Structure formats: structure tokens, C-alpha cells
Amino acid sequence: MNQDQLKICFVSSEVVPFSKTGGLADVAGALCKFLGRQGVDVRLFTPFYDTIDTRKFTFYPVTFLQQIPLEMGSRQFLFNVLTAQLPGSEVDVYFVDCPALYHRGRLYTEDPDEYLRFAFLSRAAIECCQRMGWGPHIFHCNDWQTALIPLYLKTLYSWDGLFRHSKTVLTIHNIGYQGQFSSSILHELGLGAHRNLFWQDDLAVGMVNFLKTGILYADMLTTVSETYAREIQTEAYGAGLHPFLQMRANSLVGIVNGVDYEEWNPETDPYIPYHYSIRDLAGKEKDKAYLLNQLGLTFEPHVPLYGIVSRLTAQKGFDLLFDCLFDILAHNAIRFVVLGSGESRYEEFFQSAQQAFPDKFCFYRGYSNELAHLIEAGADMFVMPSRYEPCGLNQIYSLKYGTIPIVRKTGGLADTVQNYDWVSQTGTGFVFEHFTSDGLRWAMGSAYETYQHRDAWLKLMRNAMSQNFSWEVQGQKYIALYWRVAGRSG
Ligand code: ADP
Ligand code: GLC
């Protein structure tokens, strides 16, 4: 094997195009594709969920990874490993097949064994590396689900010389989800003998916290934007983990996510009926007419269309619309489309907006990749008033589609969208600072006003579309980081 080839074991609970609930899946798929193309030996481990469409991809059993026993406390599991290629690359994705844990009809559950499902994934990835005789330079862990890997390597697998030089990187995609469970599970994690290595104040109140454990033991921590890296060290954004992140500040870096322009590009997008580019925007208006027609809304020239595609959770800040949306709909000639699902208070609110303004507002409750692409292409503006946003991908997709983002200045939104300035005609969107309805109303109003001035709007669209957040740029930062953590220069 090439001694200079970087070896990365990437472990993620979701991966595009196989499984997805949010941006983690896009990042796992696209970053690994990029790494593979750079000649990195990257092996991606993820669960074989029953929701994966087995007709779309070809899966092969890995002959030497069948019927592998794995003991979790007093429970004995057997798992198999299947492999498939990450589309557009030669990267092998290894699927951990254990029906008892991953056949639940969805990726994440509130079942009492949720901790076990992902502790199992973490251990299975390590066990597979052992059977492959493969000692990666880096185990790249993502979010709470795989945050125990650093501790596992330092305890249960410390005897194995294969991992003598292996280091760990933990990426925090969202600090709002930490994996907090009763400390009675330690035995089942296989870590009963290592109680002393968990945060003792948590144990004192009968808890363990997966993400915190990862923050304590990973060699390097990353998060998905520079602003979020700073924010999570503060009480307001740290969700209780800020003291730990402050403690590890020297080992924490922010790298803004890249996006996969092979998937998200109005010049080639297979989901949209009319292609367009920064040089020829004609298709965008036609996509808008098509989208509105599909939604049962009428198209009128010069009437802007606002769009939302999102998980409907408190993080995304839609509470700010509670106070102003009806008023905005009542007094302005606009169209508005929302695609998403989640907490019932948001679903009910959007449902009621549709009932009150059936000619202007459409709520599509659910998940549809195709409609997400159509909205990116057909809308004029994209609304993301997040309470917090580690990175956010939709505003970056929006930029490429000339769909002007209206965002709150937080996390990755602050790092990827600049407020439009009338005088210098610079900027790529509308950015409001304080988490208030007035702030959002101001930004939506500014967008509305600017939209009425065709030349200014075209300039704004071109500013947005010329932004480049490709993995070619961002991925190099990970490669440099991996080498640094591995203790070598690349
Ligand atoms: P988060 O990971 O917090 O949900 P991101 O902006 O990073 O936010 O990524 C969200 C991803 O999920 C995007 O690719 C977006 O298009 C997709 N998405 C979210 N909700 C839906 C939905 N209802 N239908 C289709 N795609 C969705
Ligand atoms: C999380 C964050 C989102 C980020 C994504 C991928 O789900 O909420 O902001 O873009 O992870 O890193």
C-alpha cells in the first residue's frame, strides 16, 4: 500500500443517496466523494436501514464480514456487512446490517434502545477495520451517534496495535442533539469498567452524554462553520457544552460545508424542467411558472415567490413567522411555498396559513427531494430565519440557483450570505441580526422592495450565483486537517 495515502474511516448515521434526514447526509456523501477523487483511501460506515431503496443500488455482501458477533453488555448480536459504491466515485460504503437494530421504518427513533443502535454502529466500524487489517490515520466521527468512537479506541480497543497511530476527529453538525441517556446503560455499551472516564457530574445525576464524551476524548473537534465554532463556546449557543468547548478551544476549528454542485446546479439539475445559468436566466421564470402550476397557485409576472424547505423544528426559527406571516400575506402581492415536516405547532401554523390564503400560500407537508429541487429553482427568495444554524445547506444551494436567501445572522448563515447593499450593489441576500419578528419582517420587506427593481434584482442574483462553496475548496481544508492531526505534513 502507498505509504503516503491518507486513510480515513468515516462513520456517519446517514449518507446521501442512501439515507437522509438532513444536511449530515449531504455532507457525508459529498465530502467522501471528494476525498475519494483526491486519492484518499476513505471507507464509509453507516447502518443498513430498512428504508434504504435496495432496488436503486447494487449491494454486495463482504465475504469476510459475515455473521460477526458483537457483544453489547449481556446481549449478543450478529451482524453482516454489505458494500455499495458511493455514486460518482470509487468509494466503498460499508453497510452494517443488523435487522434487530436498523429495521425500524425510519433512521432515528425514540425507542428505549436508541443509544445501543449507534454505539453498535461505532463499535461495528472499529471491528470491521480490525478484520480488514486496516489501521486508518483518522476515524472521522459525526455528531453524538458516533461520538463514542474516541473513547472506545482508548478503552476496549486499546490493546490492538493496528490503531496505535490512529487519531480521531469529531465533527459537531448540531449541538442541539447530544445523545443523553441514563447511566444505567454503561454496561450495555461495554464501558461498565470505565465509568471513571465519563464526566463524573453527569454520573452523579444518573446520566451519560455521548457528545460530551466525544468532545472530551476526540483528538480534534470540528464544526461546520467558523461562526458556529465561536458561538458554541458561549452560554447562549453551547447547549450546556460551552465550558467543555472552551476547554478544548485550541483543538476546535470551523470549516464551512461545501456543497455538491453535481447534485445542485440549475444548469444540469435533472429534477427541474428548464435549465438556466448566470449567463442565461430565462429558464428560471419558466421553472417558477411550472412550480406554481404544480402547487395549484397562479403565476403572475412581477409577483415574487418565497420558498422554504426545512425540517420543522425550533432550531429553524419559524416562530418568527407566527407574528408576521398573515399580515405579510394579507398586504402584499406574493406567493409562498413551504415544504417540510416536523413539530405539529409549525405544521398546524402553515396549514392554517394555507387555509386563510389559498391563492397565495401552499404548504406541502412531507419530504420530497424532487420538490426541494423545484423550489430551489422556481422560488425568487428562500427564507431561513434560524434561531441557530451550524452551517445550513439550503441557503448555499439557493445562492447557486439565484434564489435570494433571507437569513438570520447566525452560524453558517452569517458565513455564507452577505447583506445586499443598495449603494455598492454588493451582497448576496438579506440578513437580519436579532431573533425577532421585526427583524425577519424587515428582511422580507427589503427583499420585496428590491425585487421590484429589476436591474438591482438581476445584479443580486448574479452576485449570488457566482458564489462558490464547492468541496474542491472546503474539502482541501479537511485533508490538511487530517494530515495535521495524523502528525504528518501532506
Ligand atoms: P439540517 O441538516 O439542519 O436539516 P441543512 O440546511 O444543513 O439543515 O440541510 C437540510 C437538507 O435536507 C437539505 O439538503 C434540504 O434540501 C433537505 N430537506 C430538508 N427538509 C426537506 C424536505 N421536507 N424535503 C426534501 N428535502 C428536505
Ligand atoms: C446539521 C445542521 C446544519 C448543517 C448540517 C450539515 O444538521 O443543523 O446547519 O448544515 O448539519 O453539517
Coordinates of all heavy atoms in Angstrom, one line a residue, residues 285-351:
E285 N -37.6 31.7 -14.7 CA -39.0 32.2 -14.7 C -40.0 31.1 -15.1 O -41.1 30.9 -14.6 CB -39.1 33.4 -15.7 CG -40.4 34.2 -15.5 CD -40.4 35.2 -14.4 OE1 -39.5 35.2 -13.5 OE2 -41.3 36.1 -14.4
K286 N -39.5 30.3 -16.1 CA -40.3 29.1 -16.6 C -40.5 28.1 -15.5 O -41.5 27.5 -15.3 CB -39.7 28.5 -17.8 CG -39.7 29.5 -19.0 CD -39.2 28.7 -20.2 CE -38.9 29.6 -21.4 NZ -38.0 29.0 -22.4
D287 N -39.4 27.9 -14.7 CA -39.4 26.9 -13.6 C -40.4 27.4 -12.6 O -41.1 26.6 -12.0 CB -38.0 26.7 -13.0 CG -37.1 25.9 -13.8 OD1 -37.6 25.0 -14.5 OD2 -35.9 26.2 -13.8
K288 N -40.4 28.7 -12.4 CA -41.3 29.3 -11.4 C -42.8 29.1 -11.8 O -43.6 28.6 -11.0 CB -41.1 30.8 -11.3 CG -42.0 31.5 -10.3 CD -41.5 33.0 -10.3 CE -42.4 33.9 -9.5 NZ -41.9 35.3 -9.5
A289 N -43.1 29.3 -13.1 CA -44.4 29.1 -13.6 C -44.8 27.6 -13.4 O -45.9 27.3 -13.0 CB -44.5 29.6 -15.0
Y290 N -43.9 26.8 -13.8 CA -44.1 25.3 -13.7 C -44.4 24.9 -12.2 O -45.4 24.2 -11.9 CB -42.9 24.6 -14.2 CG -43.0 23.1 -14.1 CD1 -43.7 22.3 -15.0 CD2 -42.5 22.4 -13.0 CE1 -43.8 20.9 -14.9 CE2 -42.5 21.0 -12.8 CZ -43.2 20.3 -13.8 OH -43.3 18.9 -13.6
L291 N -43.6 25.4 -11.3 CA -43.7 25.1 -9.9 C -45.1 25.6 -9.4 O -45.8 24.8 -8.7 CB -42.6 25.7 -9.1 CG -42.7 25.7 -7.6 CD1 -42.7 24.2 -7.0 CD2 -41.5 26.4 -6.9
L292 N -45.4 26.8 -9.7 CA -46.7 27.4 -9.2 C -47.9 26.6 -9.7 O -48.8 26.3 -9.0 CB -46.8 28.8 -9.6 CG -45.9 29.8 -8.8 CD1 -45.8 31.2 -9.4 CD2 -46.3 29.9 -7.3
N293 N -47.8 26.2 -10.9 CA -48.8 25.4 -11.6 C -49.0 24.1 -10.9 O -50.1 23.6 -10.5 CB -48.5 25.2 -13.0 CG -49.6 24.5 -13.8 OD1 -50.8 24.8 -13.5 ND2 -49.2 23.6 -14.6
Q294 N -47.8 23.4 -10.6 CA -47.9 22.2 -9.8 C -48.5 22.3 -8.5 O -49.1 21.4 -8.0 CB -46.4 21.6 -9.6 CG -45.7 21.3 -10.8 CD -46.1 19.9 -11.4 OE1 -46.9 19.9 -12.3 NE2 -45.6 18.8 -10.8
L295 N -48.3 23.5 -7.9 CA -48.8 23.7 -6.5 C -50.3 24.2 -6.5 O -50.9 24.4 -5.4 CB -47.9 24.7 -5.8 CG -46.5 24.4 -5.6 CD1 -45.7 25.5 -5.0 CD2 -46.3 23.1 -4.7
G296 N -50.8 24.5 -7.7 CA -52.2 25.0 -7.8 C -52.2 26.5 -7.5 O -53.3 27.0 -7.1
L297 N -51.1 27.2 -7.7 CA -51.1 28.7 -7.5 C -50.9 29.3 -8.8 O -50.3 28.7 -9.7 CB -50.0 29.1 -6.5 CG -50.0 28.5 -5.1 CD1 -48.7 29.0 -4.4 CD2 -51.2 29.0 -4.4
T298 N -51.5 30.5 -9.0 CA -51.3 31.2 -10.3 C -50.0 31.9 -10.4 O -49.6 32.5 -9.4 CB -52.5 32.1 -10.6 OG1 -52.6 33.0 -9.5 CG2 -53.8 31.4 -10.8
F299 N -49.5 31.9 -11.6 CA -48.2 32.7 -11.9 C -48.6 34.0 -12.4 O -49.5 34.2 -13.3 CB -47.4 31.9 -12.9 CG -46.3 32.7 -13.5 CD1 -45.1 32.8 -12.8 CD2 -46.4 33.4 -14.7 CE1 -44.0 33.6 -13.3 CE2 -45.4 34.2 -15.2 CZ -44.2 34.3 -14.5
E300 N -48.1 35.1 -11.8 CA -48.2 36.4 -12.3 C -46.9 37.1 -12.4 O -46.1 37.0 -11.4 CB -49.1 37.3 -11.4 CG -50.6 37.0 -11.5 CD -51.4 37.8 -10.5 OE1 -51.2 39.0 -10.4 OE2 -52.2 37.2 -9.8
P301 N -46.6 37.7 -13.5 CA -45.2 38.3 -13.6 C -45.1 39.4 -12.5 O -46.1 40.0 -12.1 CB -45.3 39.0 -15.0 CG -46.4 38.4 -15.7 CD -47.4 37.9 -14.7
H302 N -43.9 39.6 -12.0 CA -43.6 40.6 -11.0 C -44.1 40.3 -9.6 O -44.1 41.1 -8.8 CB -44.0 42.0 -11.5 CG -43.7 42.3 -12.9 ND1 -42.4 42.2 -13.3 CD2 -44.4 42.6 -13.9 CE1 -42.3 42.5 -14.6 NE2 -43.6 42.7 -15.0
V303 N -44.7 39.1 -9.5 CA -45.2 38.7 -8.1 C -44.1 37.7 -7.6 O -44.0 36.6 -8.1 CB -46.6 38.1 -8.1 CG1 -46.9 37.5 -6.8 CG2 -47.6 39.1 -8.6
P304 N -43.4 38.1 -6.5 CA -42.3 37.2 -6.1 C -42.8 36.0 -5.3 O -43.9 36.0 -4.7 CB -41.5 38.1 -5.1 CG -42.5 39.1 -4.6 CD -43.4 39.3 -5.8
L305 N -42.0 34.9 -5.4 CA -42.4 33.7 -4.7 C -41.3 33.4 -3.7 O -40.1 33.3 -4.0 CB -42.4 32.5 -5.8 CG -42.5 31.1 -5.2 CD1 -43.8 30.9 -4.4 CD2 -42.4 30.0 -6.3
Y306 N -41.7 33.3 -2.4 CA -40.9 33.0 -1.3 C -40.9 31.5 -1.1 O -42.0 30.9 -1.2 CB -41.3 33.7 0.0 CG -41.3 35.2 0.0 CD1 -42.1 36.0 -0.7 CD2 -40.3 35.8 0.8 CE1 -42.0 37.4 -0.7 CE2 -40.2 37.2 0.9 CZ -41.1 38.0 0.1 OH -41.0 39.3 0.2
G307 N -39.8 30.9 -0.7 CA -39.8 29.4 -0.5 C -39.1 29.0 0.8 O -38.3 29.7 1.3
I308 N -39.6 27.9 1.3 CA -38.9 27.3 2.5 C -38.9 25.8 2.2 O -39.8 25.2 1.8 CB -39.8 27.5 3.8 CG1 -39.7 29.0 4.2 CG2 -39.4 26.5 4.9 CD1 -40.6 29.3 5.4
V309 N -37.7 25.2 2.5 CA -37.6 23.7 2.5 C -36.8 23.4 3.8 O -35.7 23.8 4.0 CB -36.7 23.2 1.4 CG1 -36.5 21.7 1.4 CG2 -37.3 23.6 0.0
S310 N -37.5 22.7 4.7 CA -36.8 22.5 6.0 C -37.4 21.5 6.9 O -38.6 21.1 6.8 CB -37.0 23.9 6.8 OG -36.2 23.9 8.0
R311 N -36.6 21.0 7.8 CA -37.2 20.3 9.0 C -37.9 21.3 9.8 O -37.4 22.4 9.9 CB -36.1 19.7 9.8 CG -35.3 18.6 9.2 CD -34.3 17.9 10.1 NE -33.2 18.9 10.5 CZ -33.0 19.3 11.7 NH1 -33.7 18.9 12.7 NH2 -32.0 20.1 12.0
L312 N -39.1 21.0 10.3 CA -39.8 22.0 11.1 C -39.6 21.8 12.5 O -40.3 21.1 13.2 CB -41.3 21.9 10.7 CG -41.6 22.1 9.2 CD1 -43.1 22.0 8.9 CD2 -41.1 23.4 8.7
T313 N -38.5 22.3 13.0 CA -38.1 22.2 14.4 C -37.8 23.6 14.9 O -37.6 24.6 14.1 CB -36.8 21.4 14.6 OG1 -35.7 22.1 14.0 CG2 -36.9 20.0 14.0
A314 N -37.7 23.8 16.2 CA -37.5 25.1 16.9 C -36.2 25.7 16.3 O -36.1 27.0 16.2 CB -37.4 24.9 18.4
Q315 N -35.2 24.9 16.0 CA -33.9 25.4 15.5 C -34.1 26.4 14.3 O -33.4 27.4 14.2 CB -33.0 24.2 15.1 CG -31.7 24.6 14.4 CD -31.1 23.5 13.6 OE1 -31.4 22.3 13.9 NE2 -30.1 23.8 12.8
K316 N -35.1 26.1 13.5 CA -35.2 26.7 12.2 C -35.8 28.1 12.3 O -35.9 28.8 11.3 CB -35.9 25.9 11.2 CG -35.1 24.5 11.0 CD -33.7 24.7 10.3 CE -33.0 23.4 10.2 NZ -31.6 23.6 9.6
G317 N -36.4 28.4 13.5 CA -36.8 29.8 13.7 C -38.1 30.2 13.1 O -38.4 31.4 13.0
F318 N -39.0 29.3 12.8 CA -40.2 29.7 12.1 C -41.2 30.3 13.1 O -42.2 30.9 12.6 CB -40.8 28.5 11.4 CG -39.9 28.0 10.3 CD1 -39.5 26.7 10.2 CD2 -39.4 28.9 9.3 CE1 -38.6 26.2 9.2 CE2 -38.6 28.4 8.3 CZ -38.2 27.1 8.3
D319 N -40.9 30.3 14.4 CA -41.7 31.0 15.3 C -41.9 32.5 15.0 O -42.9 33.1 15.2 CB -41.1 30.9 16.7 CG -40.8 29.5 17.2 OD1 -40.1 28.8 16.5 OD2 -41.3 29.2 18.2
L320 N -40.8 33.0 14.3 CA -40.8 34.4 13.9 C -41.9 34.7 12.9 O -42.3 35.9 12.8 CB -39.4 34.8 13.4 CG -38.2 34.7 14.3 CD1 -37.0 35.3 13.7 CD2 -38.5 35.5 15.6
L321 N -42.3 33.7 12.2 CA -43.4 33.9 11.2 C -44.8 34.0 11.9 O -45.7 34.6 11.3 CB -43.4 32.8 10.2 CG -42.3 32.9 9.1 CD1 -42.3 31.6 8.3 CD2 -42.5 34.1 8.2
F322 N -44.9 33.5 13.1 CA -46.2 33.4 13.8 C -46.8 34.8 13.9 O -48.0 35.0 13.7 CB -46.1 32.9 15.2 CG -45.8 31.4 15.3 CD1 -45.5 30.7 16.5 CD2 -45.7 30.6 14.1 CE1 -45.3 29.4 16.5 CE2 -45.5 29.2 14.2 CZ -45.2 28.6 15.4
D323 N -45.9 35.8 14.2 CA -46.4 37.2 14.4 C -46.6 38.0 13.1 O -47.2 39.0 13.1 CB -45.4 38.0 15.3 CG -45.6 37.6 16.7 OD1 -46.6 37.0 17.0 OD2 -44.7 37.9 17.5
C324 N -46.0 37.6 12.0 CA -46.0 38.5 10.9 C -46.5 37.9 9.6 O -46.9 38.6 8.6 CB -44.6 39.1 10.6 SG -43.3 37.9 10.3
L325 N -46.6 36.5 9.5 CA -46.8 35.9 8.1 C -48.2 36.3 7.6 O -48.4 36.7 6.4 CB -46.7 34.4 8.2 CG -47.0 33.7 6.9 CD1 -46.0 34.1 5.8 CD2 -47.0 32.2 7.0
F326 N -49.2 36.2 8.5 CA -50.6 36.5 8.0 C -50.7 38.0 7.5 O -51.3 38.3 6.5 CB -51.6 36.3 9.1 CG -52.0 34.8 9.2 CD1 -51.0 33.8 9.3 CD2 -53.3 34.4 9.2 CE1 -51.4 32.5 9.4 CE2 -53.7 33.1 9.3 CZ -52.7 32.1 9.4
D327 N -50.1 38.9 8.3 CA -50.1 40.3 7.9 C -49.4 40.5 6.5 O -49.9 41.2 5.7 CB -49.3 41.0 9.0 CG -49.7 42.5 9.0 OD1 -50.9 42.8 8.7 OD2 -48.8 43.3 9.2
I328 N -48.2 39.8 6.4 CA -47.5 40.0 5.1 C -48.3 39.4 3.9 O -48.4 40.0 2.9 CB -46.1 39.2 5.2 CG1 -45.2 40.0 6.2 CG2 -45.5 39.1 3.8 CD1 -43.9 39.2 6.5
L329 N -48.9 38.3 4.2 CA -49.8 37.7 3.1 C -51.0 38.6 2.8 O -51.3 38.7 1.6 CB -50.2 36.3 3.5 CG -49.1 35.2 3.5 CD1 -49.6 33.9 4.2 CD2 -48.7 34.8 2.1
A330 N -51.5 39.2 3.8 CA -52.7 40.0 3.6 C -52.4 41.2 2.8 O -53.3 41.7 2.0 CB -53.4 40.3 4.9
H331 N -51.2 41.8 3.0 CA -51.0 43.1 2.4 C -50.0 43.2 1.2 O -49.7 44.3 0.8 CB -50.4 44.1 3.5 CG -51.5 44.3 4.6 ND1 -51.4 43.7 5.8 CD2 -52.7 45.0 4.5 CE1 -52.5 44.1 6.5 NE2 -53.3 44.9 5.7
N332 N -49.6 42.0 0.8 CA -48.6 42.1 -0.3 C -49.0 41.1 -1.4 O -49.5 40.0 -1.1 CB -47.2 41.7 0.2 CG -46.7 42.7 1.1 OD1 -46.2 43.8 0.7 ND2 -46.7 42.4 2.4
A333 N -48.7 41.5 -2.6 CA -48.9 40.5 -3.8 C -47.7 39.6 -3.8 O -46.6 39.9 -4.4 CB -49.0 41.3 -5.1
I334 N -47.8 38.5 -3.2 CA -46.7 37.5 -3.1 C -47.3 36.1 -3.3 O -48.5 35.9 -3.1 CB -45.9 37.6 -1.8 CG1 -46.7 37.2 -0.6 CG2 -45.2 38.9 -1.7 CD1 -45.9 37.0 0.6
R335 N -46.4 35.1 -3.5 CA -46.7 33.7 -3.4 C -45.7 33.1 -2.4 O -44.6 33.6 -2.2 CB -46.5 33.0 -4.7 CG -47.4 33.6 -5.8 CD -48.8 33.1 -5.7 NE -49.6 33.7 -6.8 CZ -50.3 34.9 -6.8 NH1 -50.2 35.6 -5.7 NH2 -51.0 35.3 -7.8
F336 N -46.1 32.0 -1.7 CA -45.2 31.5 -0.7 C -45.4 30.0 -0.7 O -46.6 29.5 -0.7 CB -45.7 32.1 0.7 CG -44.5 32.1 1.7 CD1 -44.3 33.3 2.4 CD2 -43.8 31.0 2.0 CE1 -43.3 33.3 3.4 CE2 -42.7 31.0 2.9 CZ -42.5 32.2 3.6
V337 N -44.3 29.2 -0.8 CA -44.4 27.8 -0.7 C -43.5 27.2 0.4 O -42.4 27.7 0.6 CB -44.1 27.1 -2.0 CG1 -42.7 27.5 -2.6 CG2 -44.1 25.6 -1.9
V338 N -44.1 26.3 1.2 CA -43.3 25.7 2.3 C -43.3 24.2 2.1 O -44.4 23.6 2.0 CB -43.9 26.0 3.7 CG1 -43.2 25.3 4.8 CG2 -43.9 27.5 3.9
L339 N -42.1 23.6 2.1 CA -42.0 22.1 2.1 C -41.3 21.7 3.4 O -40.2 22.2 3.7 CB -41.2 21.7 0.9 CG -40.6 20.2 0.9 CD1 -41.7 19.2 0.9 CD2 -39.6 20.0 -0.3
G340 N -42.0 20.8 4.1 CA -41.3 20.3 5.3 C -42.2 19.6 6.2 O -43.5 19.5 6.0
S341 N -41.6 19.0 7.2 CA -42.5 18.3 8.2 C -41.7 18.3 9.5 O -40.5 18.5 9.6 CB -42.8 16.9 7.8 OG -41.6 16.1 7.7
G342 N -42.4 18.1 10.6 CA -41.8 18.1 11.9 C -42.8 18.4 13.0 O -43.9 17.8 13.0
E343 N -42.4 19.3 13.9 CA -43.3 19.6 15.1 C -44.6 20.1 14.7 O -44.8 20.9 13.8 CB -42.6 20.6 16.0 CG -41.4 20.0 16.7 CD -40.6 21.0 17.5 OE1 -41.2 22.0 18.1 OE2 -39.4 20.9 17.5
S344 N -45.7 19.6 15.4 CA -47.0 19.9 15.0 C -47.4 21.4 15.0 O -48.2 21.9 14.2 CB -48.0 19.1 15.8 OG -47.8 19.3 17.2
R345 N -46.8 22.1 16.0 CA -47.1 23.5 16.0 C -46.8 24.3 14.8 O -47.5 25.2 14.3 CB -46.5 24.2 17.3 CG -45.0 24.2 17.3 CD -44.5 24.6 18.7 NE -43.1 24.2 18.8 CZ -42.2 25.1 19.2 NH1 -42.5 26.3 19.5 NH2 -41.0 24.6 19.4
Y346 N -45.7 23.9 14.1 CA -45.3 24.5 12.8 C -46.2 24.0 11.7 O -46.7 24.8 10.9 CB -43.8 24.3 12.5 CG -42.9 24.8 13.6 CD1 -42.2 23.9 14.4 CD2 -42.8 26.2 13.9 CE1 -41.4 24.4 15.4 CE2 -42.0 26.6 14.9 CZ -41.3 25.7 15.7 OH -40.5 26.2 16.7
E347 N -46.4 22.7 11.7 CA -47.3 22.1 10.7 C -48.7 22.8 10.7 O -49.2 23.1 9.7 CB -47.4 20.6 10.8 CG -46.0 19.9 10.6 CD -46.2 18.4 10.5 OE1 -47.3 17.9 10.9 OE2 -45.2 17.7 10.2
E348 N -49.2 22.9 11.9 CA -50.6 23.5 12.1 C -50.6 24.9 11.6 O -51.5 25.4 11.0 CB -51.1 23.3 13.5 CG -51.5 21.9 13.8 CD -51.5 21.5 15.3 OE1 -51.5 22.5 16.1 OE2 -51.5 20.3 15.6
F349 N -49.5 25.6 12.0 CA -49.5 27.0 11.6 C -49.5 27.2 10.1 O -50.2 28.0 9.5 CB -48.2 27.7 12.2 CG -48.0 29.1 11.7 CD1 -48.9 30.1 12.1 CD2 -46.9 29.4 10.9 CE1 -48.6 31.4 11.7 CE2 -46.7 30.7 10.5 CZ -47.6 31.7 10.8
F350 N -48.6 26.4 9.4 CA -48.5 26.5 7.9 C -49.8 26.1 7.3 O -50.3 26.6 6.3 CB -47.3 25.8 7.4 CG -46.0 26.5 7.7 CD1 -44.9 25.8 8.3 CD2 -45.8 27.8 7.5 CE1 -43.7 26.4 8.6 CE2 -44.6 28.5 7.8 CZ -43.6 27.8 8.3
Q351 N -50.4 25.0 7.9 CA -51.7 24.6 7.4 C -52.8 25.7 7.5 O -53.5 25.9 6.5 CB -52.2 23.4 8.3 CG -53.2 22.5 7.8 CD -52.7 21.7 6.6 OE1 -51.7 21.1 6.6 NE2 -53.5 21.8 5.5

